[in-house]
């Protein structure tokens, strides 16, 4: 099922980014590719859209950015989770799981 | 949220750097994506394209990024602001006029409002002051009618028997100042005497020391005084040991028991010394009325009950031992109870209210001008707005842009207005005559500024918003269709504008007439012959210490010697002295009995203005001699009991015969002199009786104002004069050194002030009104340009075209003038008390004002008309 490229709401993209960065710092391109991979290419987002999202997350203080060198010896900006970011991630996951189980129960009830 | 906000704030300052960083990031991203694609086997070109495609729109990302980064509304505002600024700069004339108008409206209004407000509405500084009233017994009109003060017996009668006053007290303002000596140059200070109960009534405690006690009101108690804050600081250097110190006042020792707080100004701001008022309970004095009554209302009683109570008491003054003649001949049985505030500011209220009305008018004119201008502008953009709406611009955005323009104008105009308000207030206070009370307390109040700024700015915004709303409505699309001609929106607006202009003209005319009346009045005043020669005359006041000289004879000798010395000064022609100088507001009258006209039963003795004069006075003042002679040395040295009377007195009692030799209260008339305007140039001359320095019944003179006639500039002899006086008596203070011309000018100062302000307002109104007319005609012409073009092309006479436009303007002006004249006639009464020699319906002023306005209006209407007739027909036809 191919969802439209612009279909990913901000909230979801933010959460995906936070989760993806849990394992370690990534640069913008790497982050976008990882998200595509993890969702097994079911989600095709415009890769560029991570950048505004990254800025927003920075504004909230959940990630920080630092210029570094990529695997291919290129100068790139790397983003990593902050402690507040990890906390935020945990609470967001909780929220999702609660919502998901609620919906599951609701949808499972017989009319 | 705060964190985000801060982040955005910081981002404001690092805009370019952040843009560059993003660029670099995106570049890196694309290159890395391309590399990966290459690795996957795509060709170089394909790899690049694919990378680009999966990235998405670069510009969109950048803009999105920027959106997240900044305060959106701020950027929008900045952008709109810039647009607004640009469009205003294109129409600089319009912008300048609106800003100027707003600035004047706010500035002038606030300044004058502050002055009025400061004097009229600021509360006095006494606790429960709205319960404090002054009480006077109303006298019969023949004796002056202002109500009279109490006598000792009257006071006690009141105190013992009143019901509605919680405290009843009296006070007395010393008409002559006290002289303080020691601790520096001799200084004259004004003093008031209050009973202990008066101090209690006012309820203000001294900042140091204490108030007098009731015992100190009794005769024989130690003499004590309280000082004002100003005196304590100025003369005694805020000495903390001032309490208990003994000062020499009028040569006598007084102990200082307290210092009143700063700003305490009962009964008037000039008072620097207060002392207890000593009243003897056993006093037989019921005829000398000199003490003012002061009452504080008991909680629960009203002004009406006070009046009834007071009247009842006064009518029973007989019980207090008043003789019948006083009761029937003098009092008319009613009481005058006035709240304290009115007593103090009463005099200035009316002219200030006129000023307030004036400024209100100017404000209205200015605001309607602003409104008009805004409407014009909106009118001119109807098409532009319609086009933009049709092209899909959001309605809200359009309104927002126009609003920002109005807001920008309002803001700048408002700021300019506030600045003008501060400067204007400072200017007004410095120019105002000192007679306006409590001038020093005046400053701009925040609430005043807020009110005027709020009002003017709201008008600007309102008239910016309304047309904006209108022009962006669906109707405006119709504008596009019929090419901008005859839309109903336009016609309605035209009616509003015409109405505004007519109102402006009416208001401006009222102001013009008002100021014209004042100017004429002033001119009349200046032609009044004061009865003396004001030029080349120096005046100054002297008050010798009674204790230093052996009685009044010693003082008379002092004056003699002084005058002798003065006349030796080069440039001095003749010198003299008088107890009260004309036009200085001094009052000195007493009753006299004229031998030839004995009093009938129950008749009240006539009152005359009494003065004492040295021999040289009349010559120095340049008063004409009608009959007989003026004084010589013998008159006072030998106490001959001679008097000189004024012509009006002679004409009243002895119109056919000579007045010489007639006897008045034991004195003999030796001369008749010309009338002198004493209370004011605009009032009737009074009847004067002049006594020499010493008279036959033992009376004499203490304080005098010297008049010195000089050939040279009067001020130039001042230093020499001071030296002479210092030699004669080192303890003699010299006060009020002024040339007589200054004295005359000062007496006119209130008239001049009112007149200047009205004229200024009228000038502003005239200017604004003509701008209004110009605007309307311009607009009409511009609307009709195509029509005019057609007419001209068809061979119409250009003069005819001009006349048409002119007529339209004149019609508006005429309507305004008629309404204005009616309004001016109705309001003329307000000015009556300020006018002299000019009726408030003075035809010359009314007609003149109308003509001036019509002329100005014609001029304002002709200019656009001229321009219209010069437009080449081809251009006119094109501009649809």
């Amino acid at each position: 099922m191919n969802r439209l490229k612009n279909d990913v709401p901000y909230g979801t993209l933010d959460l995906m980014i936070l989760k993806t960065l849990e394992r370690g710092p990534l640069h913008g391109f790497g982050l976008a590719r990882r998200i595509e991979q993890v969702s097994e290419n079911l989600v095709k987002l415009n890769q560029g859209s991570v950048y505004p999202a990254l800025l927003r997350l920075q504004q909230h203080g959940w990630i920080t950015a630092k210029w570094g060198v990529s695997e291919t010896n290129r100068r790139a900006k790397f983003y990593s989770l902050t402690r507040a970011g990890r906390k935020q991630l945990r609470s967001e996951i909780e929220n999702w799981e609660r919502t998901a189980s609620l919906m599951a129960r609701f949808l499972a009830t017989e009319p | 949220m705060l964190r985000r906000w801060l982040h955005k704030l910081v981002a404001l300052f690092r805009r370019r750097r952040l843009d560059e960083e993003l660029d670099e990031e995106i570049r890196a991203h694309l290159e890395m994506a391309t590399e990966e694609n290459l690795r996957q086997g795509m060709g170089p070109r394909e790899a690049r394209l694919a990378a680009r495609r999966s990235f998405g729109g670069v510009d969109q990302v950048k803009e999105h990024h920027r959106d997240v980064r900044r305060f959106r509304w701020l950027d929008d505002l900045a952008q709109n602001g810039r647009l607004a600024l640009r469009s205003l700069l294109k129409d600089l004339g319009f912008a300048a006029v609106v800003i100027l108008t707003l600035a004047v409206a706010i500035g002038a209004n606030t300044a004058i409002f502050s002055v009025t407000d400061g004097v009229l509405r600021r509360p006095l500084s006494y606790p429960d002051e709205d319960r404090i009233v002054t009480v006077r017994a109303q006298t019969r009109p023949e004796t002056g009618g202002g109500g009279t003060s109490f006598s000792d017996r009257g006071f006690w009668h009141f105190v013992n028997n009143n019901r509605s006053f919680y405290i009843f007290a009296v006070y007395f303002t010393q008409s002559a100042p006290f002289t303080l000596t020691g601790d520096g140059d001799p200084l004259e200070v004004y003093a008031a005497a209050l009973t202990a109960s008066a101090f209690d009534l006012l309820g203000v405690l001294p900042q140091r020391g204490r108030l007098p006690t009731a015992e100190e009101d009794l005769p024989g108690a130690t003499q004590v005084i309280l000082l004002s804050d100003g005196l304590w600081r100025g003369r005694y250097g805020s000495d903390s040991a001032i309490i208990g110190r003994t000062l020499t006042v009028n040569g006598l020792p007084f102990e200082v028991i307290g210092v009143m707080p700063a700003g305490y100004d009962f009964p008037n701001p000039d008072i620097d010394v207060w002392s207890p008022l000593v009243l003897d309970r056993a006093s037989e004095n019921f005829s000398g009325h000199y003490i003012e009554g002061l009452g504080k209302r008991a909680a629960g009683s009203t002004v009406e009950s006070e009046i009834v109570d007071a009247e009842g008491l006064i009518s029973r003054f007989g019980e207090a031992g008043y003789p019948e003649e006083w009761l029937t001949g003098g009092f008319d049985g009613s009481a005058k109870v006035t709240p304290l505030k009115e007593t103090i500011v009463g005099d200035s209220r009316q002219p200030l209210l006129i000023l307030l009305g004036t400024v209100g008018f100017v404000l209205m004119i200015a605001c309607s001008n602003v409104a008009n201008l805004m409407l014009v502008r909106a009118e001119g953009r109807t098409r532009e707005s319609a086009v933009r709406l049709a092209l899909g611009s959001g309605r809200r955005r359009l309104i927002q842009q126009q609003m920002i323009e109005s807001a920008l104008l309002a803001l700048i105009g408002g700021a300019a207005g506030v600045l003008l308000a501060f400067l204007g207030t400072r200017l007004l206070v410095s120019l105002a005559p000192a007679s306006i009370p409590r001038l020093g307390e005046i400053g701009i109040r925040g609430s005043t500024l807020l009110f005027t700024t709020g009002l003017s700015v709201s008008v600007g915004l309102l008239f910016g918003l309304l047309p904006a709303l209108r022009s962006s409505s669906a109707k405006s699309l119709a504008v596009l269709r019929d090419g901008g001609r005859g839309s109903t929106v336009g016609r309605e607006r035209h009616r509003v504008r015409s109405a505004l202009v007519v109102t402006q003209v009416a208001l401006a005319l009222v102001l013009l007439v008002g100021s014209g009346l004042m100017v004429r009045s002033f001119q009349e005043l200046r032609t009044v012959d004061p009865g003396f020669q004001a030029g080349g005359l120096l005046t100054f006041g002297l008050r010798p210490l009674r204790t230093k000289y052996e009685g009044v004879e010693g003082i008379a000798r002092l004056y003699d010697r002084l005058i002798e010395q003065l006349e030796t000064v080069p440039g001095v022609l003749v010198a003299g002295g008088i107890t009260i100088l004309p036009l200085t507001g001094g009052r000195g009258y007493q009753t006299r009995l004229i031998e030839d006209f004995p009093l009938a039963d129950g008749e009240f003795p006539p009152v005359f203005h009494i003065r004492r004069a040295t021999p040289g006075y009349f010559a120095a003042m340049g008063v004409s001699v009608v009959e007989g002679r003026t004084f010589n040395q013998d008159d006072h040295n030998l106490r001959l009991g001679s008097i000189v009377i004024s012509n009006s007195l002679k004409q009243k009692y002895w119109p056919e015969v000579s007045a010489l030799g007639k006897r008045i209260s034991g004195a003999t008339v030796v001369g008749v002199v010309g009338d002198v305007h004493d209370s004011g140039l605009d009032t009737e001359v009074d009847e004067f009786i002049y006594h020499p320095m010493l008279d036959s019944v033992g009376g004499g003179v203490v304080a005098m104002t010297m008049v010195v006639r000089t050939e040279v500039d009067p001020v130039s002899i001042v230093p020499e004069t001071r030296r002479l006086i210092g030699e004669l008596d080192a303890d003699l203070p010299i006060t009020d050194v002024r040339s007589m011309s200054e004295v005359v000018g000062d007496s006119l100062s209130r008239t001049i002030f009112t007149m200047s302000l009205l004229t200024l307002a009228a000038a502003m109104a005239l200017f604004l009104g003509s701008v209004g007319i110009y605007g309307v005609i311009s607009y009409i012409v511009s609307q009709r340009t195509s029509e005019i073009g057609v007419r001209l092309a068809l061979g119409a006479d250009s003069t005819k075209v001009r006349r048409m436009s002119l007529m339209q303007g004149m019609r508006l002006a005429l309507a305004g003038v008629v309404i204005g004249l009616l309004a001016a006639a109705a309001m003329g009464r307000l000015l009556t008390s300020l006018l002299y020699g000019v009726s408030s319906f003075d035809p010359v002023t009314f007609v003149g004002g109308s003509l001036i306005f019509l002329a100005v209006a014609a001029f304002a209407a002709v200019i656009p008309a001229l321009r219209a007739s010069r437009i080449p027909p081809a251009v006119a036809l094109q501009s649809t």
Side-chain angles (χ1 to χ4, degrees), chain B residues 843-854:
Chain B
V844 172
T845 314
F846 275 65
V847 169
S850 315
L851 287 178
I852 290 179
F853 212 99
L854 288 174

Side-chain angles (χ1 to χ4, degrees), chain B residues 64-124:
Chain B
H64 202 172
H65 194 261
R66 240 170 303 175
D67 266 349
V68 175
R69 193 171 71 203
R70 63 186 184 156
F71 296 106
R72 196 199 194 118
W73 54 270
L74 193 66
D75 280 348
D76 273 351
L77 199 65
Q79 191 188 41
N80 273 346
R82 247 171 292 154
L83 278 175
L85 201 63
R86 224 178 312 153
S87 87
L88 280 179
L89 283 174
K90 256 193 286 168
D91 236 332
L92 200 57
F94 162 79
V97 173
V98 171
I99 291 174
L100 194 68
T101 311
L102 278 175
V104 163
I106 294 172
N109 210 49
T110 307
I112 299 190
F113 199 83
S114 297
V115 172
T116 315
D117 189 70
V119 176
L120 286 184
R121 290 210 284 129
R122 290 256 232 96
L124 297 173

Side-chain angles (χ1 to χ4, degrees), chain B residues 369 372 497 500-502 504-505 766-780 805-806 808-814 816-817 853-854 856-862 864:
Chain B
N369 237 18
N372 243 347
R497 297 193 56 216
L500 281 173
V501 171
V502 168
Q504 280 184 339
V505 172
L766 196 63
F767 172 71
L768 290 173
S770 36
V771 166
I773 292 184
Y774 175 83
V776 171
I777 301 301
S778 290
Y779 168 71
I780 293 178
S805 314
L806 191 64
Q808 281 181 313
M810 293 313 289
R811 230 178 300 155
L812 283 175
L814 207 63
V817 163
F853 212 99
L854 288 174
V856 170
F859 186 65
V862 141

